Amino acid sequence: MTDRSRLIVNLTALVGLVVLVAVVALTPEAKDIAEGVREQLRKPSHAEEAHDEDAPEAETEPVEKEQEETAEAGSPPPGPHLVVGGDGKYYPESGYAWANNDDPNDYTVVWVPGLKHQEHPHLIATEKEGGWRPSPGFDWTGDGVNDMRVEWKPGTRHPDHEHVIAAEEEERWLPAPGYTWVNSEALEDFRVIPAGSTTPP
């Protein structure tokens, strides 16, 4: 096969691939999937804690949607895992989020790992529906089932950042002994380097 023939074959394959991607991207299902991915990317990460307690927290309040009617006293909620707020509207229980924010009559909820508990801000939803774990730096003081209390444990290693440990002050982090921050000014930068080193490993 000549170079010209290879070039024609490659260009034809490339054009076919571009057309295929365009067709797939324009189907309604692909648009819905892309929108879902974009929504997930817009959500703040719940796994990372800041060095400082004054750093912005991830959103923990239930998302309000335009509901056409409010709950009637004594009537059961229109679906599982819903609670009635002080305003008489329905909200997902802790750990759940609306499956469809756009439809005011759709009360379907889904479990979302990583969401913070609405009443216990240092608890995070696990992958298993209904399960909770303490936020990084915290540990159970109770059984984690009937007693959801947690407390800050200085010296605890951060589960997502190697060589980072909990400081004495609640929700503050320190480099582990023998390490220093790469950027001590950025509160959400957990990168560390060995003490005395000038560049990250």
Side-chain angles (χ1 to χ4, degrees), residues 18-196:
V18 168
V19 169
L20 179 62
V21 168
V23 168
V24 170
L26 294 176
T27 63
E29 296 83 6
K31 287 181 180 177
D32 291 345
I33 291 169
E35 184 58 34
V37 169
R38 279 194 292 274
E39 285 299 316
Q40 288 298 323
L41 291 174
R42 286 186 199 125
K43 292 180 181 177
S45 170
H46 297 288
E48 289 191 357
E49 295 290 325
H51 298 315
D52 186 82
E53 62 190 0
D54 296 327
E57 292 268 333
E59 197 64 46
T60 59
E61 292 298 314
V63 174
E64 187 171 334
K65 65 193 254 176
E66 293 297 323
Q67 298 176 34
E68 293 178 357
E69 56 188 62
T70 56
E72 294 181 22
S75 66
H81 306 294
L82 295 175
V83 295
V84 179
D87 57 2
K89 293 184 179 182
Y90 294 107
Y91 293 95
E93 289 178 350
S94 288
Y96 292 88
W98 297 118
N100 181 358
N101 279 329
D102 299 327
D103 184 353
N105 297 313
D106 184 354
Y107 293 97
T108 309
V109 296
V110 292
W111 179 257
V112 181
L115 281 183
K116 288 191 176 184
H117 197 289
Q118 295 166 17
E119 297 168 12
H120 304 281
H122 301 299
L123 295 182
I124 299 174
T126 63
E127 292 292 327
K128 180 182 176 187
E129 186 170 352
W132 296 95
R133 67 174 173 82
S135 296
F138 289 85
D139 200 3
W140 299 109
T141 59
D143 61 9
V145 178
N146 300 312
D147 185 349
M148 304 288 274
R149 290 176 299 153
V150 294
E151 65 181 2
W152 181 254
K153 294 282 189 179
T156 304
R157 294 196 175 276
H158 196 295
D160 302 320
H161 302 284
E162 191 176 10
H163 309 301
V164 175
I165 60 173
E168 288 293 325
E169 188 176 345
E170 189 172 302
E171 296 192 52
R172 289 197 183 248
W173 297 93
L174 297 170
Y179 290 85
T180 187
W181 296 121
V182 169
N183 182 358
S184 61
E185 300 298 318
L187 298 178
E188 294 183 9
D189 186 350
F190 285 85
R191 293 175 302 147
V192 296
I193 54 175

Side-chain angles (χ1 to χ4, degrees), residues 3-22:
D3 288 342
R4 183 181 171 102
S5 298
R6 279 193 202 105
L7 179 61
I8 291 171
V9 169
N10 288 341
L11 286 175
T12 304
L14 180 61
V15 168
L17 181 60
V18 168
V19 169
L20 179 62
V21 168

